[in-house]
Amino acid sequence: MTLTQLPAWVQSAGLLVASNVFMTFAWYAHLKDMNHKPWWYAAIFSWCIALFEYLLQVPANRIGHTQLSLGQLKIMQEVITLTVFVPFAVFYMNQPFKLDYVWAALCMLGAVYFIFR
């Protein structure tokens, strides 16, 4: 089975996961590695990373929109964002795991239920 034979929502989810990895690093990695650099340096660095995010995110939404509504795409994006962000925060940024992440995930499950029902 090739990637194009996968259902559109699976292709979209996979591309969104990859794009979220890039975007999470673009938004937050400079907080760890570049505190000593001027803000504009971090902005240029982040924009360079974000280009790759957009190269994945735009086709993800176009592919996903063939089977999913706009609301479903957005909620899927938000769930993926939290799923990518929590390990990034804990393992890369060395932040403690908080129960707030669990509560946020449970709220998102409610959002998933309501938007996909």
Side-chain angles (χ1 to χ4, degrees):
M1 177 180 273
T2 65
L3 292 177
T4 57
Q5 292 174 318
L6 294 171
W9 72 269
V10 174
Q11 293 177 52
S12 181
L15 287 167
L16 287 173
V17 168
S19 76
N20 264 277
V21 170
F22 282 108
M23 202 63 203
T24 301
F25 274 90
W27 283 4
Y28 302 109
H30 63 88
L31 298 175
K32 178 179 179 182
D33 298 332
M34 294 185 199
N35 280 334
H36 60 287
K37 303 260 187 201
W39 72 265
W40 57 266
Y41 185 89
I44 292 170
F45 173 78
S46 295
W47 288 339
C48 290
I49 295 172
L51 170 65
F52 295 103
E53 185 269 342
Y54 279 103
L55 291 174
L56 296 168
Q57 181 267 344
V58 170
N61 284 332
R62 286 180 162 240
I63 292 167
H65 194 51
T66 64
Q67 287 185 343
L68 302 170
S69 71
L70 191 60
Q72 290 170 330
L73 276 171
K74 182 59 180 169
I75 293 301
M76 184 168 69
Q77 167 70 26
E78 295 304 327
V79 169
I80 290 169
T81 297
L82 184 63
T83 304
V84 169
F85 177 77
V86 172
F88 171 85
V90 172
F91 296 114
Y92 184 78
M93 296 296 286
N94 299 315
Q95 299 291 306
F97 180 83
K98 296 181 179 180
L99 264 170
D100 292 342
Y101 295 138
V102 175
W103 305 136
L106 289 173
C107 289
M108 291 223 177
L109 283 177
V112 168
Y113 170 75
F114 286 111
I115 207 76
F116 280 90
R117 68 184 169 125

